[in-house]
Amino acid sequence: MKSIINNIFYYIPPKTRELLFYLKFMKNPIIKLNNLKQLKKIYKLQKNDFKNIQSPIIYKSLQRIIIKTDDGFNFAKSFYDSKIELIKKGKFIVNKPILICLVKNDLIRIKEFHRYYIELGIRNFAFIDNDSNDGTFEYLQNDKNIALFQIKEKYSTLNRQVWITKIMNYYGYNNWYIIVDSDEFLIYNDCEKNKINSLITYYENQKKSRIKALMIDMYSGDKFLFENNNCKEKIMNKYCYFDKDTYISSRHTKFELIEGGVRKRVFEKYEKISPFLIKYPIIYFQPGDLQYNSHYSSPFYKNFNAELNIALLHYKFMPEDLNKIKERVKEKNYAMGSKEYSAYLKAYKEDPNIHLKNDESVKLITSNSIYSINLLKKINWNK
């Protein structure tokens, strides 16, 4: 019976389907009402750490997420409890997209990341540093063009979304935002000459406000987490291989889901994992929107019916990531108690000769190389 109901659910138009999420209220009405009352008290007592945080618009959005989801109250409470400090404003160009990135102890990657996005045409950078101690904070602080925020609270996947939502509210609605992690490099066909403003214009002409991307995990030809101290190659040059056809499209109630890739291919035998490989890194932020999940945003209906044109090259298997993997397994502060990172650590310990590259791997040569993945469709720049 449940299977039949689910199948019917997927045939309902996304905007109508959104209304059905409000039925979660009926599941635990007393708890939901208490949560809404608590949120109202928190909201009234709240002191501004940023402008717009006490906006009635965001308050109403948080009320809706409480009603629609199981963990909405935790999200809403964290939104008001988390205190982010503005370190410096940086120099921003009005009416241009703003890149937001949360980072911790990622100095090697962040330098190449920053150069890459400058080359892509990004001029407005807002970094949230989560208490780095490896020089990342100082690097970002020393660049006068970068807006820098800092938060010293403990990371969790929920807190990540809260912090990003707060920064988006700080800069305001009706702006384009590029939301990426420090190991994610946005790519699309001919991006070498068609920079980010061309991409935004393309989607504006298509009347799209939320753009999905396929996460492509990149890896080298070396052993997993192999460290060569003499190697000075750029990250993109060394980690230049990816899977072509290990991706699976499937149904999800809140977004258009793709799973699989090298992470499932290699690591599933160590832990039962199936990583989500869709994100929405480009968003035209409007009243009512929340960056609710790292893989999808609210309202959920906006996550459907978008063509899959772009990708995020995902560089998460560098040697220096071993310590991060160990820390995340210990802290259990990522999805499902950091189960995915547990798989990486088990693989590293149990098979010291494990390789991610196989005979089917494809090498990234230009931006057009990613379209060997059949799920991706090239942008028609003549539209």
Side-chain angles (χ1 to χ4, degrees):
M1 183 67 181
K2 186 176 180 181
S3 177
I4 294 172
I5 292 172
N6 283 341
N7 285 332
I8 294 172
F9 183 85
Y10 291 113
Y11 286 102
I12 299 172
K15 200 161 187 177
T16 304
R17 191 191 306 168
E18 185 80 18
L19 299 175
L20 298 180
F21 287 107
Y22 288 95
L23 294 178
K24 276 191 173 286
F25 179 85
M26 302 307 298
K27 185 178 179 181
N28 292 298
I30 295 175
I31 293 174
K32 295 284 186 183
L33 283 171
N34 285 335
N35 287 340
L36 291 169
K37 288 178 181 177
Q38 288 183 62
L39 180 67
K40 188 174 183 179
K41 290 179 181 177
I42 293 169
Y43 175 67
K44 287 183 175 180
L45 294 172
Q46 186 60 218
K47 294 180 180 178
N48 262 347
D49 52 346
F50 290 142
K51 63 178 183 180
N52 301 331
I53 295 303
Q54 284 186 295
S55 161
I57 297 175
I58 185 66
Y59 174 61
K60 289 179 181 177
S61 300
L62 294 171
Q63 287 178 312
R64 287 193 286 268
I65 207 68
I66 287 174
I67 295 171
K68 291 193 300 182
T69 66
D70 293 330
D71 62 349
F73 179 69
N74 293 331
F75 183 98
K77 186 175 185 300
S78 179
F79 181 86
Y80 290 118
D81 287 348
S82 296
K83 301 301 179 186
I84 302 177
E85 182 183 359
L86 173 62
I87 303 300
K88 63 186 182 72
K89 287 188 174 182
K91 293 183 178 179
F92 271 40
I93 300 174
V94 178
N95 297 326
K96 296 296 181 183
I98 300 170
L99 184 147
I100 300 176
C101 177
L102 174 66
V103 62
K104 178 172 183 174
N105 290 342
D106 211 3
L107 183 60
I108 294 174
R109 244 184 306 243
I110 207 67
K111 289 180 179 179
E112 190 163 332
F113 172 98
H114 189 206
R115 288 193 297 268
Y116 179 85
Y117 280 103
I118 288 175
E119 180 60 29
L120 198 62
I122 299 288
R123 293 296 177 266
N124 298 332
F125 290 89
F127 286 93
I128 312 165
D129 183 85
N130 187 204
D131 205 20
S132 294
N133 57 18
D134 71 335
T136 297
F137 177 82
E138 289 75 15
Y139 171 80
L140 298 171
Q141 189 177 34
N142 289 334
D143 191 314
K144 63 183 180 181
N145 296 312
I146 289 174
L148 180 59
F149 301 82
Q150 186 179 53
I151 189 156
K152 297 189 176 184
E153 296 169 21
K154 188 175 179 179
Y155 177 92
S156 71
T157 51
L158 183 143
N159 281 342
R160 175 192 183 275
Q161 302 313 116
V162 166
W163 300 340
I164 290 171
T165 297
K166 289 189 78 160
I167 299 305
M168 294 172 79
N169 270 270
Y170 173 79
Y171 289 112
Y173 296 111
N174 302 317
N175 280 320
W176 283 98
Y177 293 88
I178 315 296
I179 303 163
V180 283
D181 292 335
S182 56
D183 58 6
E184 296 172 347
F185 290 38
L186 182 67
I187 190 170
Y188 47 90
N189 59 294
D190 302 316
C191 63
E192 295 88 349
K193 60 181 180 181
N194 291 300
K195 304 302 183 182
I196 194 68
N197 290 336
S198 298
L199 184 68
I200 295 296
T201 299
Y202 172 82
Y203 285 120
E204 286 177 335
N205 291 339
Q206 301 297 311
K207 301 189 184 308
K208 302 295 184 183
S209 63
R210 193 174 293 175
I211 315 307
K212 67 181 178 181
L214 176 66
M215 296 182 70
I216 304 176
D217 294 314
M218 306 299 295
Y219 45 86
S220 73
D222 293 329
K223 292 183 293 185
F224 177 54
L225 299 180
F226 173 76
E227 184 167 10
N228 182 353
N229 293 326
N230 296 319
C231 179
K232 301 297 182 183
E233 280 187 279
K234 287 184 177 181
I235 295 168
M236 294 185 72
N237 291 342
K238 180 174 175 56
Y239 300 87
C240 58
Y241 297 101
F242 62 92
D243 277 25
K244 180 178 73 171
D245 55 7
T246 56
Y247 308 96
I248 304 165
S249 297
S250 58
R251 289 174 167 176
H252 195 282
T253 57
K254 299 181 179 72
F255 70 119
E256 295 174 329
L257 174 61
I258 295 175
E259 299 171 279
V262 66
R263 281 184 272 170
K264 184 176 177 66
R265 169 170 66 83
V266 174
F267 299 107
E268 189 179 35
K269 68 178 182 179
Y270 300 96
E271 291 277 5
K272 189 69 175 177
I273 62 170
S274 190
F276 291 176
L277 300 180
I278 283 291
K279 280 193 171 184
Y280 294 79
I282 305 177
I283 292 176
Y284 187 72
F285 188 51
Q286 297 168 300
D289 289 352
L290 287 177
Q291 187 67 10
Y292 168 70
N293 185 287
S294 61
H295 293 281
Y296 53 89
S297 298
S298 176
F300 307 126
Y301 74 87
K302 291 185 179 182
N303 298 326
F304 292 89
N305 301 323
E307 195 174 62
L308 184 56
N309 303 122
I310 67 176
L312 291 170
L313 303 180
H314 193 204
Y315 298 93
K316 69 181 288 123
F317 297 127
M318 292 169 59
E320 54 268 25
D321 292 326
L322 180 58
N323 287 333
K324 291 183 179 181
I325 291 169
K326 291 178 178 177
E327 180 184 349
R328 290 166 187 178
V329 170
K330 180 181 178 181
E331 295 290 334
K332 299 184 183 299
N333 56 345
Y334 279 71
M336 295 183 293
S338 298
K339 187 177 182 180
E340 190 177 319
Y341 292 93
S342 179
Y344 305 155
L345 192 57
K346 286 182 180 179
Y348 178 77
K349 290 179 176 179
E350 295 176 19
D351 188 355
N353 293 312
I354 191 170
H355 283 72
L356 305 188
K357 182 177 179 291
N358 66 12
D359 292 341
E360 303 299 319
S361 298
V362 176
K363 186 174 184 178
L364 183 77
I365 299 172
T366 70
S367 61
N368 290 303
S369 300
I370 63 172
Y371 296 92
S372 60
I373 300 172
N374 291 331
L375 293 170
L376 284 164
K377 306 299 178 186
K378 288 185 177 180
I379 293 169
N380 180 358
W381 294 108
N382 295 320
K383 276 189 177 181

